[in-house]
Amino acid sequence: MNINSDNIIKDAQRLRGTTDEVRSRRAAGEQGNTQPAAHQIEVTLDQMNINLRTHQQTVARLQLESIGLDQIERGLEFVVKNNPGDYEDIRRAIGEVQTAADATRFQQQHLIPQTLREALYADLTAPGKAQAALDLLTSRRGEIDNSLRDEFAQISRIQVSFENIQSVNLHLDGKAQSVVDELSRQLLAQKQLVQSPMDPATVMTLLRA
């Protein structure tokens, strides 16, 4: 699912003014009048958290798919290079390619696009078939790279907005503080994912978070 964070970024900018207002009222002893503004802070932070997790899971899915593509690519390159050749070696490589394509899933849903899967399950020993599948895989890699750049850009915008809110140093109570803690945890997990983007264990940990 594609999420555009423009609205939540604007909300975060408005939230900066709201936190200043809450702080000012608390300093003046107007505790009762801060409740509506405090609720706005809580709602905005909660939405930021939801958006962040959505972007993170999209990143993790794309990177899981990329891990699968690595395995598939090695097999296809072997077939292209060695076909015609030893029948058993080629059949074994094709079997590994198809196993990797089938295993690249999240919650039982295939991550490899159907067009590429169909090419991988064609007769890869036929002239040109393995190379055609390899070309499709290369094209898909380009799409993944573009999608990852977009997702990381959205995550960066959320992180900057969250840091701006944190810089106000407003004391938050109850759920609002728990959401701040969750956002901090998720942004740390995101940093780890960026640092080791092709580590399957890191990817799966984030997906289960």
Side-chain angles (χ1 to χ4, degrees), residues 68-69 71-72 95-105 112 120-121:
L69 292 179
Q71 298 173 315
I72 294 167
E96 291 172 355
V97 162
Q98 294 173 348
T99 297
D102 187 61
T104 305
R105 303 183 183 209
I112 306 295
L120 297 175
Y121 280 92

Side-chain angles (χ1 to χ4, degrees), residues 67 193 196-204:
I67 292 167
L193 183 62
S196 51
M198 289 300 118
D199 176 7
T202 303
V203 174
M204 290 308 298

Side-chain angles (χ1 to χ4, degrees), residues 151-163:
E151 292 298 322
F152 283 134
Q154 292 284 9
I155 289 170
S156 293
R157 296 182 70 192
I158 292 174
Q159 181 167 5
V160 169
S161 295
F162 178 58
E163 289 172 352

Side-chain angles (χ1 to χ4, degrees), residues 8-27 30-31 33-45 48 161 164-172 176:
I8 198 63
I9 300 305
K10 292 176 182 177
D11 286 344
Q13 293 169 346
R14 289 194 295 270
L15 184 60
R16 183 70 181 266
T18 302
T19 54
D20 289 339
E21 177 187 349
V22 171
R23 179 194 285 175
S24 175
R25 288 181 177 179
R26 284 182 176 176
E30 301 176 32
Q31 191 70 24
N33 294 331
T34 66
Q35 290 182 358
H39 177 69
Q40 181 185 348
I41 293 170
E42 181 180 313
V43 169
T44 302
L45 286 170
M48 288 180 72
S161 295
N164 285 339
I165 293 169
Q166 283 186 308
S167 70
V168 177
N169 293 323
L170 177 70
H171 174 71
L172 299 172

Side-chain angles (χ1 to χ4, degrees), residues 76 116 128-141:
L76 287 175
L116 178 54
K129 289 293 187 179
Q131 184 60 56
L134 191 57
D135 292 343
L136 283 174
L137 186 149
T138 301
S139 177
R140 178 57 185 163
R141 278 200 181 283

Side-chain angles (χ1 to χ4, degrees), residues 75-76 79-80 83 90-91 93-95 97-98 118-131 133-134:
L76 287 175
V79 175
V80 170
N83 185 39
I90 291 172
R91 295 309 304 177
I94 291 173
V97 162
Q98 294 173 348
E118 289 175 353
L120 297 175
Y121 280 92
D123 181 6
L124 294 177
T125 63
K129 289 293 187 179
Q131 184 60 56
L134 191 57

